[in-house]
Amino acid sequence: MLTNVELECPVFDSFRVQQVAGMFDVPLAEKMRLQFTVEVPALSGSEKFDWQIGVIVGPSGSGKTTLARKLFGEQFIERISWPANRAVIDCFGELSIHHITGLLTAVGFSSPPSWVKPYHVLSGGEKFRCDLARALAQGIVANTPLFSATDQGLLTNDVPLVAFDEFTSVVDRNVAQIGSAAVAKAVRSKQIGCQFVAVTCHYDILPWLSPDWVIDMATREFTQYDDNTNSISKTDKYPHRRRLRRPSIELQLHRCRHALWRIFARHHYLSASLSKMARCYVALWHDEPVSLCATLPVIGKRKHWRISRIVTLPDYQGVGIGMRVMEAVTDLYRADGCRLNVTASHPALIAHCRRSPKWRAVNVMKTGAHHTDRFIPGYRGSSGRAVVSFEYQVVKPI
């Protein structure tokens, strides 16, 4: 489908404007206009195709924002304001706490200690995730679909569209790539039931978002991707190309000293303390620490251990790094003939263990355990919190 776009701005007549026009031979008119035609995906009608993620990309001044405004109207979210005197968790209107935490977790912002802070004190990466969650919430609420809670996350009876301006423009590129992967995972897995369009000037995020279509405003080209074909189709009206494959995230796992815990401590959702008896393991990505897992022995049970801490830094949340690290550590213990459990109240960890065949729920405590272990320094019980305990299983090949 072809659409015409017109860019224009007023030119104010002044002495300095006339000077610049004379010095640099700038033609003046009542308004400066730029018109162009660009091919865009059909968003309705018989030519509409099924898609989940789209991208409008191009350099600054290429007309990305103008095109997005024309295509998406009120569904295009350009700027989000945050009150200075309210916690992030209180800025999502009438959504329930279950839906709010689900949105924040889905976009990779899984740090309850940061949820209760005001927006202006967060890091750049955390602000980006919060803006994204608010944009998704606003788009969903504006289209008034009904939420239904499931173990998999958030689903809607209808599929709204959310277009987000300046996607990843204010964060470093590592954060941008991980954040893009987190959004793609949330949308494609139906954790967030919407069609999502990123408007950005950064080409490096394309393989991490793995979009179904891209409009490149630098060349005015529209490309539609299909995960089931390897070559450009000669018969279809729009050329099809194989969807960009997301780069792999290769981690290195090492045993580490307790001192490294200080990098992760403030991001743990329960306590910043760590028992001196704990064994610690750190995961590195590009030689940078991104996740830490700690284990403790279960007192009175031979070769029985439990996960006591699993923390992934906020900039790297949302793509499953924490769960991969936890299970890699668990595999080490299982190879040594040990049993291993994890007890958690974090919804993301519980949802993962419930879905995975590697974990078996062994206990559900709606009010937590009513005892503390005095023999383990730094131990904190779960009294007052609803928790679920899982044990790691040996999955036999079929």
Side-chain angles (χ1 to χ4, degrees):
M1 182 177 74
L2 296 177
T3 188
N4 295 315
V5 179
E6 179 176 319
L7 303 174
E8 64 179 19
C9 68
V11 177
F12 301 100
D13 189 14
S14 70
F15 176 70
R16 289 191 176 90
V17 169
Q18 293 294 338
Q19 279 185 309
V20 169
M23 292 170 60
F24 299 100
D25 195 24
V26 177
L28 295 179
E30 180 182 349
K31 289 188 177 181
M32 302 184 75
R33 293 184 176 88
L34 174 64
Q35 291 182 320
F36 59 86
T37 301
V38 63
E39 197 167 30
V40 300
L43 301 177
S44 61
S46 60
E47 295 182 355
K48 181 180 178 181
F49 69 97
D50 291 332
W51 60 273
Q52 293 175 289
I53 299 174
V55 174
I56 301 176
V57 65
S60 297
S62 60
K64 301 185 302 297
T65 299
T66 301
L67 177 62
R69 286 176 185 150
K70 182 170 184 176
L71 289 178
F72 307 119
E74 294 182 355
Q75 296 166 310
F76 179 47
I77 299 174
E78 299 183 59
R79 184 174 299 175
I80 297 176
S81 60
W82 293 82
N85 58 348
R86 299 179 67 187
V88 164
I89 204 75
D90 289 326
C91 299
F92 286 81
E94 299 301 318
L95 288 181
S96 70
I97 189 66
H98 176 80
H99 295 143
I100 297 170
T101 57
L103 275 171
L104 292 171
T105 300
V107 299
F109 187 40
S110 304
S111 300
S114 296
W115 294 348
V116 298
K117 297 177 182 177
Y119 174 84
H120 68 273
V121 306
L122 302 179
S123 69
E126 290 174 325
K127 288 179 178 178
F128 163 65
R129 309 293 182 102
C130 287
D131 287 340
L132 193 54
R134 275 279 300 278
L136 291 167
Q138 287 183 25
I140 291 171
V141 172
N143 286 271
T144 61
L146 298 176
F147 278 110
S148 62
T150 71
D151 289 341
Q152 285 72 37
L154 304 178
L155 296 174
T156 59
N157 290 339
D158 195 8
V159 181
L161 187 149
V162 177
F164 187 78
D165 198 19
E166 299 294 340
F167 184 76
T168 75
S169 293
V170 297
V171 294
D172 68 55
R173 302 327 298 158
N174 277 345
V175 176
Q177 292 166 3
I178 295 295
S180 298
V183 172
K185 177 184 175 184
V187 172
R188 295 200 183 281
S189 66
K190 308 298 184 183
Q191 286 180 289
I192 299 176
C194 74
Q195 293 175 308
F196 179 74
V197 179
V199 181
T200 180
C201 59
H202 297 285
Y203 288 82
D204 64 330
I205 64 169
L206 293 182
W208 296 87
L209 267 178
S210 190
D212 299 298
W213 57 263
V214 174
I215 299 174
D216 188 342
M217 295 300 292
T219 59
R220 308 283 195 264
E221 290 183 349
F222 167 70
T223 304
Q224 180 177 323
Y225 292 95
D226 188 340
D227 203 30
N228 298 317
T229 183
N230 290 308
S231 59
I232 299 176
S233 171
K234 301 296 185 181
T235 57
D236 293 347
K237 180 176 181 180
Y238 300 119
H240 289 65
R241 298 179 186 175
R242 185 170 179 82
R243 185 186 298 156
L244 299 173
R245 187 173 298 277
R246 196 197 81 181
S248 61
I249 301 174
E250 297 182 359
L251 304 172
Q252 295 178 330
L253 185 66
H254 301 275
R255 182 84 178 267
C256 66
R257 298 180 180 274
H258 284 62
L260 201 59
W261 171 246
R262 67 178 182 271
I263 300 176
F264 299 87
R266 68 188 182 92
H267 302 294
H268 192 262
Y269 72 102
L270 290 181
S271 171
S273 63
L274 180 68
S275 170
K276 294 181 179 180
M277 296 176 61
R279 291 183 184 178
C280 299
Y281 303 83
V282 64
L284 305 179
W285 188 48
H286 299 324
D287 296 325
E288 293 291 331
V290 298
S291 187
L292 185 141
C293 181
T295 64
L296 281 172
V298 176
I299 301 300
K301 295 185 178 181
R302 183 174 177 273
K303 304 197 78 171
H304 196 165
W305 293 72
R306 63 183 178 88
I307 301 289
S308 67
R309 296 286 184 267
I310 177 67
V311 187
T312 301
L313 295 180
D315 288 347
Y316 302 95
Q317 294 176 1
V319 292
I321 288 177
M323 300 303 100
R324 287 171 57 189
V325 170
M326 182 177 71
E327 291 178 355
V329 170
T330 304
D331 285 335
L332 293 176
Y333 282 78
R334 292 294 307 190
D336 196 33
C338 298
R339 296 172 60 190
L340 200 137
N341 289 68
V342 62
T343 299
S345 60
H346 197 291
L349 193 153
I350 292 174
H352 170 83
C353 291
R354 281 179 171 170
R355 291 194 301 265
S356 173
K358 297 180 179 181
W359 296 92
R360 177 175 63 92
V362 294
N363 199 4
V364 178
M365 295 167 281
K366 294 184 178 181
T367 58
H370 297 284
H371 66 276
T372 58
D373 200 323
R374 295 173 296 175
F375 299 102
I376 302 179
Y379 176 81
R380 179 175 176 175
S382 59
S383 180
R385 294 182 291 112
V387 295
V388 183
S389 292
F390 297 90
E391 182 170 343
Y392 196 69
Q393 304 294 299
V394 177
V395 180
K396 298 180 180 180
I398 299 175

